[in-house]
Amino acid sequence: MTDEPPLRRRAAASRTGNDTHHPPSARPEPSDAGTEPTGSESVPLTAPREGTPEPIALPEHLAEVVARFAAGTGPVALDAERASGYRYSQRAYLVQLRRAGAGTALIDPLPLPDLSTLDAAIADAEWVLHAANQDLPCLAEVGLRPRRLFDTELAARLAGFERVGLAALTEHLLGFSLEKHHSAADWSSRPLPQSWLTYAALDVELLVDLRDALDAELTRQDKSAWAAEEFAALVRTGARPPRVRAEPWRRTSGIHRVRGPRAQARVRSLWYARDQIAARRDSAPGRVLPDSAIVAAAELDPKDEKALLTLPGFGGRSVRRLARTWLAALDDARQLPDDALPVTPTVEGPPPPHRWAERDPAAAARLARCREVVLRIAGEHRLPPENLITPDTVRRIAWQPPEEITESTVAEVLRGFNAREWQITLLLPSFAEA
């Protein structure tokens, strides 16, 4: 797939004088896929092979990168760094690329928010990402949308590996260890430290080598067609932003302790007050006011600033400065008429499985049989059950099966839940019988 020599083999040869390691396609064997390698120690990878590039921040420098990558060959490795836990948005604060013949580029999307020229330059190439569903939405925001991709994390899941993190896979298949201690850093800060830039460059350093090793393993296991269907589905849907929940405040951590609709109204009012501030500041909501503070205030309903500031989570200076905002939100909830208080939401889809035996014993039995089928088939093919079929799909079809249960009707229902053809082929006819 690429004319760039595999890094693992080149480095191993330089250390020993000859290549005594197994090629990636020879490891793991069918009986030990997903286990840790034994018999050789991994080598820490501390610097990119051509050195750490400076971030691209000027249009003229971006044009040079575009020309380089258009002239490169083979797949393009991509990654993006966000600032989850620090910022409200999930935008990309650094974009990393690597391609044979083009080297590695780090692009700062703050001064360069439109990378559509780069997108056009690499449109015909296969894009290689790790956990693509995490990065595709923020890459789409800057104009980067793959036409073909290879997801190394998803490939590893299909191949039966137990540990599918980037560092674990590169150590297992390529013999190099990557440090991941900057993964939770605040990538929105500027300037970015040199050690962070090196970390970011190394995230794409091995991706194409890893892609080739995993592709060989999928071929050996006769799973390449499955992976192709999964990757095509990611291309179609992966860039979509997450679905907006109707009542996002209900996901406040610890809300299960808040009893009664009036107290829940206080959670709701504080949650939206915090959300507005977080969006305006582009700050992670938990850095504006922690969930634990919202729950504490909802439970005790403080009426004045003195009572509010004694609660857990309200002691920080930035939180105290907003005391009037929090008290106003609590007062708004206090003034609501009863008919404006939160009500138990209508559950979309089947009820929680633990209630099935009481509400519909036949459905509970169907669910148990379907789960047994999924676990058996997933085990036979060395797949995580959730990659064979989503648990939500199993619950929905067991709760409300087609009126006439045949392989054809069950297959049609599975397609309606976006099951891929390889999944349907594996599940039928056992799933229909269940």
Side-chain angles (χ1 to χ4, degrees), residues 167-191:
L169 289 171
T170 55
E171 184 170 1
H172 189 160
L173 288 173
L174 304 178
F176 286 93
S177 59
L178 293 172
E179 293 186 3
K180 302 299 292 180
H181 54 275
H182 293 312
S183 59
D186 180 7
W187 290 90
S188 66
S189 62
R190 294 294 185 273

Side-chain angles (χ1 to χ4, degrees), residues 307-321:
L308 177 74
L309 298 183
T310 61
L311 297 179
F314 286 91
R317 181 182 302 175
S318 61
V319 176
R320 292 199 307 269
R321 282 201 298 262

Side-chain angles (χ1 to χ4, degrees), residues 137-153:
C138 69
L139 290 173
E141 288 182 0
V142 296
L144 295 172
R145 294 178 176 84
R147 286 70 169 174
R148 292 185 294 131
L149 69 76
F150 189 104
D151 184 334
T152 51
E153 184 198 49

